Amino acid sequence: MTTLGSVFLPQHPPERVVEVARAAEEAGLEELWFWEDCFFEGAVSATAAALARTERLRIGVGVLPVPLRNVALTAMEIATVERMFPGRTVWGVGHGVQEWMGQIGARVESPVTLLREYVDALRALLRGERLTVQGRYVRLEDVALDWPPAAAPAIISAATGPRTLRLVGEIADGAVLTSGATPNDLRRAVGLLGEGKATAGRTDPPAVIAHLMVTTGPDAEQRLIAGMRRMGRTALAGVGAPGDDGLGVAGDEHAVADAVALLVDAGADTVILEPTDDADPVEFLRFVTDKVRPLVP
């Protein structure tokens, strides 16, 4: 079955996190996702607050920027949350937006090298291993977690360009693709992930998580285009389905379900529906659960 989720956009204030998480659980949403965009909410603290006030809701973190966080700190925080709320979180890491990384003095010359070193070290630490690493960027000396999780969680990674997609297929448990990915983009991405998987000799296919920006209700098309522009996305040449000329969908639940089906057919295992920043997050997630979910197998 295709997994559906919704995003709590960081443009909403942190004090709404618990309200939205509780509403998501009551509505039966499968996954609620947080982003760690600079300089909004911290994703780990928001995740912990949401998990503490719910019982079943699954939280996705998409994604923690690796230049922003020392790998030992990320391992400590993930392990802490996993021990308190085991198996309820999808953990994602990624390059981070390079402009933001430059603002904080953390931009690196080779983001791909950093991501490889980081994911390898993070997964080993979460398995309870003791590490000494002298990489180009990741450097650890006799480091191990005192409180590793009972079971190491899957680590997924954001991926866009061909080099990163191949790398993610090689080293991570899944890939997060942004809402700019059309079905044809997604097919190409799945192929590149497969190349990376083959390079590593892996037999387990990486999970593919796609985002889809959605508007519904009055003036949906105009709000979609305006919302994408406000959020720095490419202006649409077309809307209504995420084809090669359209990066989002504007319409009712049938239009959204059809768009989800196109992404699933292209290789997505999970589709995260992303509202525009003018939509109320509670109303949007109820639209997802009440109207779209019954139409998606």
Side-chain angles (χ1 to χ4, degrees):
M1 182 177 75
T2 301
T3 299
L4 281 183
S6 179
V7 175
F8 177 84
L9 293 177
Q11 285 81 2
H12 298 296
E15 52 267 31
R16 294 205 67 187
V17 164
V18 169
E19 169 205 354
V20 173
R22 294 179 70 173
E25 179 153 275
E26 291 170 4
L29 186 73
E30 292 151 66
E31 294 183 353
L32 179 66
W33 282 69
F34 295 119
W35 297 345
E36 189 158 82
D37 282 2
C38 296
F39 299 95
F40 296 102
E41 294 97 347
V44 177
S45 51
T47 295
L51 291 170
R53 297 298 293 272
T54 57
E55 296 182 0
R56 299 173 302 280
L57 180 66
R58 191 167 170 85
I59 301 295
V61 177
V63 296
L64 302 174
V66 300
L68 182 66
R69 291 174 168 272
N70 182 281
V71 69
L73 175 62
T74 299
M76 290 162 59
E77 294 208 296
I78 291 176
T80 299
V81 173
E82 285 292 323
R83 289 183 71 100
M84 292 190 294
F85 311 102
R88 290 182 56 198
T89 307
V90 181
W91 296 101
V93 298
H95 295 314
V97 176
Q98 295 306 294
E99 180 181 354
W100 294 338
M101 299 304 100
Q103 283 182 266
I104 60 171
R107 188 167 184 167
V108 299
E109 185 177 353
S110 178
V112 173
T113 301
L114 170 57
L115 188 62
R116 177 186 290 278
E117 293 179 356
Y118 197 101
V119 172
D120 285 347
L122 179 60
R123 297 184 75 181
L125 289 170
L126 291 171
R127 290 193 298 265
E129 298 177 19
R130 183 171 296 276
L131 292 185
T132 294
V133 176
Q134 292 297 320
R136 181 174 178 181
Y137 299 109
V138 174
R139 297 180 182 180
L140 304 170
E141 185 174 345
D142 195 31
V143 175
L145 297 177
D146 286 298
W147 296 105
I155 299 297
I156 62 175
S157 178
T160 50
R163 288 183 64 203
T164 305
L165 282 160
R166 291 190 185 96
L167 175 64
V168 169
E170 185 179 343
I171 65 172
D173 297 300
V176 183
L177 307 178
T178 70
S179 58
T182 68
N184 282 339
D185 291 334
L186 190 52
R187 290 186 182 91
R188 287 189 286 269
V190 170
L192 291 165
L193 290 167
E195 291 177 17
K197 183 190 78 168
T199 297
R202 297 176 57 182
T203 57
D204 53 323
V208 177
I209 300 162
H211 282 66
L212 175 65
M213 186 174 277
V214 170
T215 54
T216 189
D219 303 318
E221 183 171 329
Q222 290 75 15
R223 288 191 295 107
L224 178 63
I225 294 171
M228 295 192 89
R229 286 173 176 161
R230 283 196 304 274
M231 297 173 72
R233 306 293 174 80
T234 304
L236 301 182
V239 295
D244 275 343
D245 61 349
L247 304 180
V249 58
D252 63 10
E253 60 270 24
H254 297 282
V256 176
D258 288 346
V260 169
L262 290 175
L263 294 175
V264 172
D265 183 65
D269 303 296
T270 297
V271 179
I272 308 302
L273 302 182
E274 177 187 329
T276 50
D277 57 358
D278 62 341
D280 181 82
V282 172
E283 292 180 3
F284 184 80
L285 67 86
R286 286 177 177 154
F287 169 72
V288 174
T289 57
D290 296 348
K291 298 294 184 67
V292 180
R293 173 76 270 179
L295 300 177
V296 176

